[in-house]
Amino acid sequence: MAETISPPGPAAKVTLWTPFAYSIFRAIWIAGLVSNVGTWMQNVAGVWLVTTLTTSALLVALMQTATSLPAFLLSMPAGAMADLIDRRKLLLFTQGFMAVVATGLGVLTFTNGVSAYGVLGFTFLLGMGAALNAPIWQAVATELVPRPALSSAITLNGVSNNIARAIGPAIGGAIIAYYSAGWVFLLNGVSFLGTWAVVYFWKREPTVTNGPAENFVGALRAGLRYVQYSPAIYGVLVRTFAFSFGAAAMWGLVSVVVARKLHLSSGHYGVMLSWLGAGAVTGAFLMSRAGSRLNLNQRVLLGVLAFGGTNLALALITRIYLLYAVMFVSGIAWLMVMTSFSTTVQLSVPKWVQARVISVYMLVFQAGLSVGSLAWGELADHLSLEISLLIAAGWMLASALLALPFPMRSAEGLNLDPAEHWPDPEVEGTIDPDDGPVMVMIEYHVEPADWPAFQAAAERLKRLRLRDGALRAGVFSDVANSTIITEFFYVATWGEHQRQHHRFTREDQLVEAQVRQFHTGPDEPRVTHFLAFPSTSNVEEATPMQTLESQR
């Protein structure tokens, strides 16, 4: 199943269906669809089983927390592992683990050996598997299709989940009504084994790593640092949390609305979620045809307002057929918002840190769902179901204002290929990658008239230095010659600085060029590397402090 990724043709227009031209994407997508159907069957069966085993709305809402909380705990470690370890092997482990857990829950359900708390426990274990699997699964998309088709691939992955949402709950509800929830859990276990088999036969191309290998803790820090100094990513995370927190009211309480407010069966609950999934699938086709007419901010704003209306409708409407229509519109809004968030994140980061940033995004998203489910469930228990949903609707409407301080920008045209334009400095002797810290200084000659513009450009470059590994960065002027401006950045180890060389992208190179255009010296800016002076205990073995110079 190995294949070389290349565009279908030099002038081919990328459409929603372009990723299906790649056989490996097609195979994994189909396997993922089957697994997603099993997952949504499991969700319906688990929530409905807890609804029948307890009278507490809080315990029912905690099913969403049991699904989402593991992502809050494990997303970051999973993202770091996905950037450091063979992703194929990790997928084989996570799919196998979830197959065992789902099968175990099915067996206990058949033997009447499970309680509401037991279902919550098994759901938490499945959530752990999903939390480890999710960042790897999303990051793998970049290996299956070329960058121009990545946006379509992300949308199709969303379509897969929502086709499953459209048919999975209905199938799950029917199996529960006519047979038992135990059968649903066993079928879900089988669906994981199907995905395991497809991944097993995937001949993944080996990943070439430039620079010294990162350790696990260092990889975690690098991922968090990248998010901290990336304003575009930070803005998406703020809006993601606000949206998922408000949307958690629908996900956590819709089964309570069906069972307690409308006094209907599990079949109606399954149909409700099916209409949601059908709306999401429809939303994918609408975005394919008319998506270019709406920018990212407009898509997210419309989706947020629509979900505010969903919570309002669940609180006030008592006719199930009207709620079906509401859920259909909500599905369109859900896909529009989540695809906008996910696409922006994945297209805004280079491959070396991609899984880690995706894991932070998913952590924030799941944290919003987990905390929101708990909050709205508590309000429903202590006040009323209707008041909880009305407050959630108000939250969604208020969160729409986040578009003002945190606007979203398209990342389609970014060139995030490694620039690889920094020459390796000449060194005396051998430097261990763990030696450090390292100080890098770049000397520019800048005319006083250009200082304001230079400072603004240097500030953008400083953020890139910090994002890619520097602990501190800044600029100084020479008190003896004010036209000499020195940029510095301070890195923990020599190995980390070597990794900086390979993290700098073509897009970053444009920012660096904006700084260099103000240099007026006869030669290129002089670059000097300083390595920390050796400790006195090792002074007899060490060479004197080294000054390493290069021109770039």
Side-chain angles (χ1 to χ4, degrees):
M1 297 177 68
E3 64 179 86
T4 300
I5 294 178
S6 58
K13 179 182 178 182
V14 175
T15 69
L16 178 64
W17 312 110
T18 298
F20 284 140
Y22 305 92
S23 61
I24 181 60
F25 176 85
R26 192 165 60 246
I28 287 184
W29 188 88
I30 292 171
L33 173 61
V34 174
S35 182
N36 286 334
V37 170
T39 297
W40 279 102
M41 289 167 56
Q42 171 99 24
N43 289 346
V44 170
V47 170
W48 195 260
L49 186 57
V50 171
T51 303
T52 59
L53 292 173
T54 180
T55 58
S56 170
L58 175 60
L59 278 181
V60 176
L62 282 176
M63 281 293 289
Q64 181 62 57
T65 301
T67 301
S68 305
L69 183 59
F72 183 78
L73 301 174
L74 298 176
S75 281
M76 276 299 297
M81 287 190 293
D83 281 331
L84 298 177
I85 303 174
D86 188 327
R87 292 173 182 173
R88 176 178 167 275
K89 293 179 180 178
L90 289 174
L91 285 175
L92 290 174
F93 169 77
T94 57
Q95 294 295 316
F97 174 78
M98 289 187 286
V100 170
V101 173
T103 302
L105 178 57
V107 171
L108 284 177
T109 303
F110 276 122
T111 59
N112 295 319
V114 68
S115 65
Y117 289 100
V119 177
L120 280 170
F122 274 91
T123 300
F124 184 81
L125 290 176
L126 279 172
M128 289 177 61
L132 293 171
N133 183 80
I136 311 166
W137 192 265
Q138 290 210 28
V140 156
T142 62
E143 302 183 33
L144 307 180
V145 298
R147 183 177 174 86
L150 184 57
S151 180
S152 296
I154 294 170
T155 301
L156 285 172
N157 284 337
V159 168
S160 168
N161 192 38
N162 286 290
I163 290 175
R165 183 184 283 120
I167 64 177
I171 296 173
I175 293 174
I176 296 168
Y178 290 99
Y179 298 100
S180 163
W183 283 109
V184 175
F185 302 143
L186 290 180
L187 289 173
N188 187 36
V190 173
S191 75
F192 288 125
L193 291 178
T195 307
W196 187 94
V198 172
V199 174
Y200 179 80
F201 288 106
W202 170 31
K203 305 302 181 183
R204 180 175 181 255
E205 293 291 329
T207 301
V208 178
T209 302
N210 294 318
E214 293 181 271
N215 60 46
F216 181 75
V217 175
L220 284 175
R221 290 173 180 167
L224 290 172
R225 184 174 56 235
Y226 194 97
V227 171
Q228 179 183 0
Y229 293 105
S230 299
I233 301 297
Y234 186 81
V236 172
L237 296 182
V238 171
R239 297 182 69 175
T240 296
F241 180 84
F243 176 75
S244 60
F245 182 85
M250 186 276 288
W251 292 114
L253 297 175
V254 66
S255 68
V256 181
V257 170
V258 174
R260 308 276 168 76
K261 181 181 176 182
L262 304 181
H263 305 289
L264 297 174
S265 68
S266 62
H268 290 89
Y269 172 58
V271 173
M272 285 275 280
L273 294 185
S274 294
W275 276 103
L276 185 78
V281 174
T282 302
F285 291 103
L286 291 176
M287 287 181 61
S288 177
R289 291 179 175 272
S292 59
R293 301 178 186 176
L294 299 174
N295 62 38
L296 289 170
N297 280 306
Q298 292 169 335
R299 293 179 195 177
V300 173
L301 180 61
L302 285 175
V304 168
L305 294 177
F307 247 83
T310 298
N311 291 334
L312 190 65
L314 288 173
L316 302 179
I317 295 176
T318 57
R319 300 195 175 198
I320 188 66
Y321 295 105
L322 290 179
L323 288 178
Y324 288 160
V326 169
M327 297 300 278
F328 181 81
V329 174
S330 300
I332 297 175
W334 178 262
L335 184 103
M336 194 158 51
V337 173
M338 296 311 300
T339 299
S340 298
F341 287 156
S342 182
T343 302
T344 300
V345 169
Q346 293 201 44
L347 290 178
S348 297
V349 296
K351 289 185 178 180
W352 70 268
V353 74
Q354 190 172 57
R356 277 166 279 184
V357 175
I358 290 173
S359 72
V360 175
Y361 160 71
M362 299 187 73
L363 183 152
V364 170
F365 170 68
Q366 295 292 352
L369 285 181
S370 297
V371 177
S373 296
L374 181 62
W376 307 126
E378 282 281 4
L379 284 175
D381 271 351
H382 288 84
L383 299 177
S384 72
L385 179 63
E386 290 77 11
I387 290 177
S388 178
L389 288 165
L390 288 173
I391 294 174
W395 170 276
M396 294 300 286
L397 296 177
S399 70
L401 298 175
L402 290 172
L404 298 177
F406 300 107
M408 294 178 61
R409 296 177 177 84
S410 175
E412 292 279 358
L414 297 181
N415 185 349
L416 300 179
D417 293 333
E420 302 289 359
H421 69 301
W422 290 358
D424 292 331
E426 296 180 4
V427 302
E428 294 180 1
T430 302
I431 302 178
D432 189 279
D434 292 329
D435 286 348
V438 177
M439 178 79 76
V440 182
M441 306 187 77
I442 305 102
E443 184 180 290
Y444 304 92
H445 290 260
V446 182
E447 296 299 324
D450 294 327
W451 285 353
F454 174 85
Q455 187 174 15
E459 187 64 27
R460 292 190 292 272
L461 185 58
K462 171 185 173 180
R463 188 168 60 243
L464 300 183
R465 306 294 195 204
L466 294 170
R467 186 201 65 187
D468 286 351
L471 301 177
R472 296 185 64 185
V475 293
F476 290 94
S477 64
D478 190 333
V479 295
N481 185 348
S482 60
T483 64
I484 298 178
I485 306 293
T486 299
E487 177 201 359
F488 83 94
F489 55 96
Y490 176 91
V491 190
T493 66
W494 183 252
E496 185 70 1
H497 178 56
Q498 288 179 295
R499 286 188 284 269
Q500 279 186 305
H501 277 240
H502 304 293
R503 290 170 178 171
F504 212 71
T505 68
R506 296 289 185 186
E507 205 67 30
D508 302 335
Q509 197 175 0
L510 298 177
V511 177
E512 186 183 53
Q514 292 175 353
V515 173
R516 289 169 60 91
Q517 70 177 334
F518 297 104
H519 175 67
T520 59
D523 301 314
E524 292 292 312
R526 187 167 69 97
V527 182
T528 310
H529 296 71
F530 295 93
L531 187 63
F533 199 79
S535 62
T536 54
S537 60
N538 298 324
V539 71
E540 293 182 358
E541 303 175 8
T543 59
M545 177 179 177
Q546 299 178 45
T547 302
L548 316 171
E549 296 189 14
S550 64
Q551 300 294 326
R552 69 165 185 259

